[in-house]
Amino acid sequence: MNIEMLSSIFEPSSIAVIGASSNINKWGGRILKNLAENFKGPVYPVNLNEEKVQGLPSYRSILDIPGEVGMAVVVVPVQHVISVAEECGKKGVKGLVVITAGFAETGSEGKELEGKLVSVINDYGMRMIGPNSLGIVNEPMRLNASIIGRLPRPGPISFITQSGTLGLALAEWTIDMGLGLCKIISTGNKANVDDIDLIEYLDNDPSTGVIAMYIEGINRGKDFMEAARRIRKPIIAIKTGRSKRGSKAVFSHTGSIAGSDEIFSAAFRQAGILRVDTIDEVFDAALAFSCQPLPRGNNVAIVSNGGGAAIVATDECEKHGINIADLTEETKERIKKAIPEFASSSNPIDTAGTSTYEVYTDVIKALLLDPNVDALIVIYVHTQMSNAMPPAEAVVELKRKSPKPVISCWMGGAGTEEGVDILKSGCLPNYSVPERAVKALACLIKHKEFIDTVKTDSSGQG
């Protein structure tokens, strides 16, 4: 299938909402509102019974719209979807997003209906996301064809989700967290456009730097794995349906077969896909990829003003196969001069409660200059006697001058906010506990290993 045609869905010149409503509590009303408020091109409501919808001239059929229509969002009852798709084909529409549910996810009759819909799509040479999709967002185009209440901050993370409601909830959560997103794609039943099409399209999308996925099942497993191997952008995936009950729930949700969990894990490793266990880990890793370079190797240094936090990070590093770097003697001498006499200059470095700008600057500078160190985890543990801002200023200032990745962990909640804001403004990925910081760094290291050993170039060569 031609992935270039996906631009008709994500980069349309104009959009029709078929099933548009003046009631913004209905899907057709909310999606029209979101498009009309943000999208820069023409937006056409289509409603059989209304002359105006939300103040816009409405059309009884897409065939009545003057001029070309690039993409159509279909929000009509299931019994009308095929005839609407036919009209879209006759109009010359190239891309559809079908929100309507009631197809393969409902059983054999729905599956047969979905087959007829796909035949229409193919007959007219269109591409379709869905059915049973909850819409798409393309922030660079200001395109919000979903019920997400607001556009996300601009950013390099594109998120593909097979669960619409979960995806939309997560999108809202990432917006609250201040994460920058590029595209949000609710795949629905993947009857025409599937995961392969999407990751290949996103690989060629200059706005996308990292691909995050929520997967319940994959339609063309072998082809998907081969496509993933060709893609050098990081792909982070959470694959659900691990348990027997979960696997059954996957089928009833989107009609997908979950498959053997062990086979998926092995296949993901062979394809260079970073499989994580939790939703937090998906976005923790995506955050790290969005603003840090890949490390040269897996040798890490840890610095903290709290010994306990440094030990937690060290244990987590070992759990993920990350090596605690052996510092050079020159580095140790530099650190000894910077920290109190009773503090530890060995890796992990414990500054024994000291967290001044000068101490963090001298220690971090020494570690970043050490040829044995490939990446750095900087931890600050907040107390009533300390200030979260000076160490944050130190790490931001030094990170700007170094090509090595730096991951931060400002612990303590209340009192750390101003320091965390400094880290965010300096594009430092920050995590609330050491374990999350280490897992995010582990994904950077693993992807570097995939690039070196698993990923192929476009010619198929490793």
Side-chain angles (χ1 to χ4, degrees), residues 15-49:
I15 302 173
V17 180
I18 306 175
S21 171
S22 290
N23 184 349
I24 62 170
N25 293 317
K26 291 185 175 181
W27 277 85
R30 175 61 64 177
I31 291 174
L32 176 65
K33 181 176 184 291
N34 287 341
L35 286 169
E37 286 181 350
N38 298 290
F39 186 62
K40 301 303 181 188
V43 178
Y44 304 110
V46 176
N47 185 303
L48 196 61
N49 303 311

Side-chain angles (χ1 to χ4, degrees), residues 228-343:
R229 285 191 70 204
R230 293 192 295 270
I231 291 172
R232 299 177 80 82
K233 291 179 182 177
I235 302 174
I236 310 157
I238 180 168
K239 164 71 179 66
T240 56
R242 287 184 153 181
S243 64
K244 285 185 178 178
R245 294 269 182 148
S247 182
K248 285 179 68 175
V250 161
F251 181 77
S252 63
H253 189 198
T254 55
S256 296
I257 304 298
S260 164
D261 192 63
E262 291 76 14
I263 291 173
F264 269 111
S265 290
F268 280 16
R269 281 195 300 274
Q270 292 170 14
I273 297 171
L274 296 158
R275 184 174 189 181
V276 295
D277 294 326
T278 68
I279 289 166
D280 280 345
E281 289 174 37
V282 173
F283 289 101
D284 282 352
L287 173 62
F289 278 112
S290 71
C291 57
Q292 291 298 297
L294 295 181
R296 185 188 55 191
N298 76 335
N299 299 301
V300 174
I302 300 167
V303 58
S304 172
N305 64 328
I311 293 169
V312 170
T314 302
D315 287 346
E316 194 70 17
C317 282
E318 290 199 3
K319 191 188 298 183
H320 290 274
I322 300 174
N323 186 48
I324 304 301
D326 293 323
L327 306 181
T328 65
E329 291 304 318
E330 186 180 1
T331 301
K332 289 179 182 177
E333 287 303 314
R334 286 178 176 166
I335 292 173
K336 277 182 184 175
K337 292 176 183 174
I339 61 178
E341 191 174 340
F342 52 88

